Amino acid sequence: MNILDFGNAFFSDSAHWHGYDGIPQRFWEHVQYSLLALAVAAAIGLPVGLLTGHTGRGGNALALIANAARALPSFGLLVLAVLSIGFGLLPVMIPLVVLAVPPILVTTYEAVRSVDPSPVDAARGMGMHESRILLQVELPVALPLILSGLRSAAIQIVSTATIAAYVSLGGLGRYIVDGLYQRDYEKVVGGATLVAVLALITLAVFWAAGRFAVSPGVRRR
Amino acid sequence: MIRIDSVTKRYPDGTVAVDRLSLEIPDRSITVLVGPSGCGKTTTLRMINRMVEPTEGTILLDGEDIQGQPVTTLRRSMGYVIQNAGLFQHRTIVDNIATVPRMLGWGKQRARERAAELMERVGLDTALAKRYPYQLSGGQQQRVGVARALAADPPVLLMDEPFSAVDPVVRKGLQDELLRLQDELGKTIVFVTHDIDEAIKLGTMVAVLREGGRLAQYAPPAELLSAPADGFVEDFLGADRGIRRLSFFASAELDLTTDAVVPADATAERIAAVKAPHLLVTDPDGRPLGWAERTGLTAGDIATDRLLPFGRPFVPGTDSLRVALDCAVLSPTGWAVAVDGGGRVTGVVSQQTIGEAIRAAHTESRADKAGAGVAE
Ligand SMILES: Nc1ncnc2c1ncn2[C@@H]1O[C@H](COP(=O)(O)OP(=O)(O)OP(=O)(O)O)[C@@H](O)[C@H]1O
Ligand SMILES: [Mg+2]
């Protein structure tokens, strides 16, 4: 049997489509973990990235912290978190957020830094307040890059959220972990396929958000 | 009036960009700051709207220290135009122009109406209103920049090399437009450039700065050309300042002659009466056709297809002595053709007569100055 057959068998088995271990339920759980982790990471990364980008201060410290965070293995972090705070959602969120903050933070910082300084100068010269300059002059122009940072963070979260299954939570990782344990390769392939599908959906969502939120004047078409 | 009083700017790295500069910038006129690169023009301009804070000295606006009011209030009373326009790429043209009115709390509709009005003012087709900056040429973007600075009708306009990034033809158009606009609006404009020709063309007063941010001379352009304060200013003005100075002398009083102007169907007696070696032939409406040699002319039917070109005519009163001289120099006969606003010939004038007028004008302006000196 090849991988396609495994996948086919998994998805055509109607037993996999309902119940607490059914595809809709696991898919939804995975989406929830991912959204929560992304929201927390964005709540940290966006404001810090915007502010440091606007003032131009703290860029070096930022790069240092981001690189350090990137070097941390997610799985090791999960184990550590479980050992220190026990099972639950929180120990899963920690590695996911640590994974997602650096790309958001660094690209947001870079995005704001790379905004053409002359409109900013003009805005300041016409008496615009700094907060308005950041939100109404720099942010709209930096948005495509900021969205790309959020997008790569989201993709990484979606693929890494499978680790939730190791600490007996749900999500699509369940199929992979359980499938490996039970030597049920149909399940493993099915779970992996679903993760890939969710990643593609994430890409599509960010593409749509870009179309919707970025001004045609910045997109240049 | 803006009064810069013994202002010095020393940047944290020790660079002295402006050194004990004092200037009185008169209301409702264009004051130009000019000088070589790095002489502190931008720094001076930016101290007026407090984008840069002086190290020493004070700047007064209508008698009050500009430090006395909140910086945003000060800046909103001064339009600010920069080299590459600095438009907001994510906003349409009309919204770019409406920025300051919106900031001041105007309603969207009113701000947009005002923006549309300003587009016309600065010579922009209102069909461009819904475009984005990247869809405009450099010259159009610069006009938007000017319109945006004027939107809330500030009394002061600060302009930092606003026209230096466009080609010479567009630049000339923008300069003419600014002069026309200034005639209508009467703003207090401080204009920075490194181009001395631009300074002379636009300035009511011109401040020439030299390296190290020191003032070399502060004078009206005609005076700058006739009496540069020192070798630095003289060098900066360039070699042909004598010719350029003629721009400030009117051509209205040139002694024109109509003796050599004849219609194409002139009689033999009329042609015989011309003493000059060349005749200017006109059509029945009095518009110039070209020059003819007096010898070998057939009366009643001058062959208009064999005339010498008459070159460019000038309009006495509107054009300066410089233009009149230029026309005479370019003319194949050495005579310049004067026309009225409708293009009909009012007379011709020789290089020699123009030369006499130039000498007379120089004598007169020297006498004026001497007289003013006595009166003081
Ligand atoms: N922020 C700054 N920090 C340190 N030095 C500066 C700063 N800004 C300008 N300078 C220096 O001050 C001097 C005057 O600069 P300024 O920008 O006012 O010159 P400018 O006359 O406008 O020149 P240009 O025609 O090239 O625009 C220069 O020597 C410049 O290097
Ligand atoms: Mg400058």
Side-chain angles (χ1 to χ4, degrees), chain A residues 116-130 132 136-138 140-141 215-221, chain B residues 46 49 51 71-72 75-76 78-80 82 84-91 96 99-100 102-103 132-134 148:
Chain A
D116 178 8
S118 54
V120 176
D121 190 53
R124 200 167 280 139
M126 63 178 75
M128 206 181 267
H129 289 293
E130 291 300 314
R132 269 208 187 203
Q136 296 185 359
V137 177
E138 291 172 312
V141 178
S215 156
V218 175
R219 274 193 274 126
R220 309 218 148 189
R221 71 176 98 98
Chain B
R46 287 163 70 95
N49 67 358
M51 301 278 279
V71 72
T72 49
R75 288 179 189 166
R76 284 171 196 183
M78 297 180 172
Y80 183 51
I82 55 179
N84 293 306
L87 301 184
F88 306 136
Q89 331 172 11
H90 61 289
R91 290 195 182 156
N96 260 282
T99 304
V100 181
R102 292 286 286 149
M103 218 158 65
Y132 286 93
Y134 79 93
R148 184 176 62 179

Side-chain angles (χ1 to χ4, degrees), chain B residues 69-332:
Chain B
Q69 54 178 319
V71 72
T72 49
T73 316
L74 177 78
R75 288 179 189 166
R76 284 171 196 183
S77 70
M78 297 180 172
Y80 183 51
V81 186
I82 55 179
Q83 184 171 355
N84 293 306
L87 301 184
F88 306 136
Q89 331 172 11
H90 61 289
R91 290 195 182 156
T92 56
I93 300 312
V94 60
D95 285 340
N96 260 282
I97 300 174
T99 304
V100 181
R102 292 286 286 149
M103 218 158 65
L104 296 176
W106 294 26
K108 206 171 192 135
Q109 195 52 37
R110 183 166 159 236
R112 285 201 167 156
E113 278 163 17
R114 172 75 179 148
E117 182 189 320
L118 275 159
M119 286 185 75
E120 282 175 18
R121 262 265 152 80
V122 300
L124 278 171
D125 188 347
T126 42
L128 302 176
K130 285 276 161 2
R131 291 215 194 162
Y132 286 93
Y134 79 93
Q135 296 165 311
L136 263 53
S137 72
Q140 289 170 329
Q141 293 196 21
Q142 209 49 258
R143 284 171 199 262
V144 177
V146 173
R148 184 176 62 179
L150 289 171
D153 205 19
V156 176
L157 205 55
L158 307 178
M159 311 180 84
D160 192 353
E161 306 208 20
F163 308 148
S164 59
V166 293
D167 68 66
V169 177
V170 176
R171 189 182 315 149
K172 183 177 178 304
L174 288 168
Q175 290 166 347
D176 293 340
E177 194 81 26
L178 181 70
L179 287 172
R180 191 188 55 72
L181 209 62
Q182 173 64 355
D183 267 349
E184 287 173 24
L185 302 177
K187 301 285 177 194
T188 303
I189 299 179
V190 187
F191 189 105
V192 164
T193 177
H194 58 252
D195 174 0
I196 185 67
D197 290 313
E198 187 169 63
I200 284 171
K201 175 170 178 182
L202 298 178
T204 314
M205 288 293 282
V206 177
V208 184
L209 301 181
R210 53 151 50 103
E211 293 88 348
R214 279 168 301 132
L215 183 64
Q217 188 169 5
Y218 187 41
E223 188 183 326
L224 215 58
L225 289 169
S226 62
D230 56 19
F232 170 79
V233 180
E234 194 167 353
D235 278 351
F236 194 70
L237 286 167
D240 53 352
R241 69 181 167 89
I243 298 284
R244 276 189 282 160
R245 199 183 153 207
L246 297 180
S247 311
F248 296 95
F249 297 138
S251 61
E253 279 156 40
L254 276 176
D255 216 349
L256 302 177
T257 165
T258 50
D259 188 41
V261 182
V262 297
D265 57 358
T267 59
E269 296 85 70
R270 178 72 185 86
I271 293 172
V274 177
K275 284 180 230 47
H278 292 94
L279 290 75
L280 182 72
V281 183
T282 64
D283 69 7
D285 289 335
R287 293 197 173 75
L289 292 171
W291 292 98
E293 306 262 351
R294 191 177 47 175
T295 46
L297 275 185
T298 17
D301 185 21
I302 298 173
T304 52
D305 55 339
R306 276 188 292 153
L307 299 174
L308 291 171
F310 62 92
R312 186 163 68 106
F314 72 100
V315 183
T318 310
D319 287 327
S320 66
L321 269 188
R322 184 182 178 174
V323 176
L325 179 64
D326 195 54
C327 296
V329 170
L330 289 175
S331 163

